[in-house]
Amino acid sequence: QVQLVESGGGLVQTGGSLRLSCAASGRTLSSYSMGWFRQAPGKEREFVAAVSWSGVTTDYAESLKGRFTISRDNAKNMVYLQMNSLKPEDTAVYYCAADPRRLRIGTRSGDYTYWGQGTQVTVSS
């Protein structure tokens, strides 16, 4: 199995940028498709972005396309989420997740087996 630890969250003003990182340990990251999800207070966890094991294929929540970019570096066992033009509605806890079905990328929480503890992102207006 794999252990995931997110970092890079924090407080940023509207229009700012943040880069979230997800460090994996245990099994090699190339064994997994990876995803980012977020959960705002009082709301359900929602899909943000996903990337295939090779990094070739990506998918994004429709509302986030053009602002968020997911990437991975299997040699470093890292996954990243670059977030630009941040808005107050992006405020949430962001989670990194791993899916052992490495040939597919999922958009549902249930598609993912392993989760990190989350990192808080707060966008001030």
Side-chain angles (χ1 to χ4, degrees), residues 13-18 66-68 83-87 90 123:
Q13 292 185 336
T14 297
S17 297
L18 281 175
R67 293 197 298 124
F68 287 19
M83 306 186 295
N84 298 328
S85 302
L86 284 163
K87 306 174 182 180
D90 294 318
V123 184

Side-chain angles (χ1 to χ4, degrees), residues 53-66:
W53 73 273
S54 63
V56 171
T57 303
T58 58
D59 196 6
Y60 296 91
E62 191 65 33
S63 63
L64 301 177
K65 287 181 180 178

Side-chain angles (χ1 to χ4, degrees), residues 50-60 70-72 74 102 105:
V51 61
S52 63
W53 73 273
S54 63
V56 171
T57 303
T58 58
D59 196 6
Y60 296 91
I70 189 171
S71 62
R72 65 191 295 162
N74 287 340
R102 63 195 293 265
I105 54 174

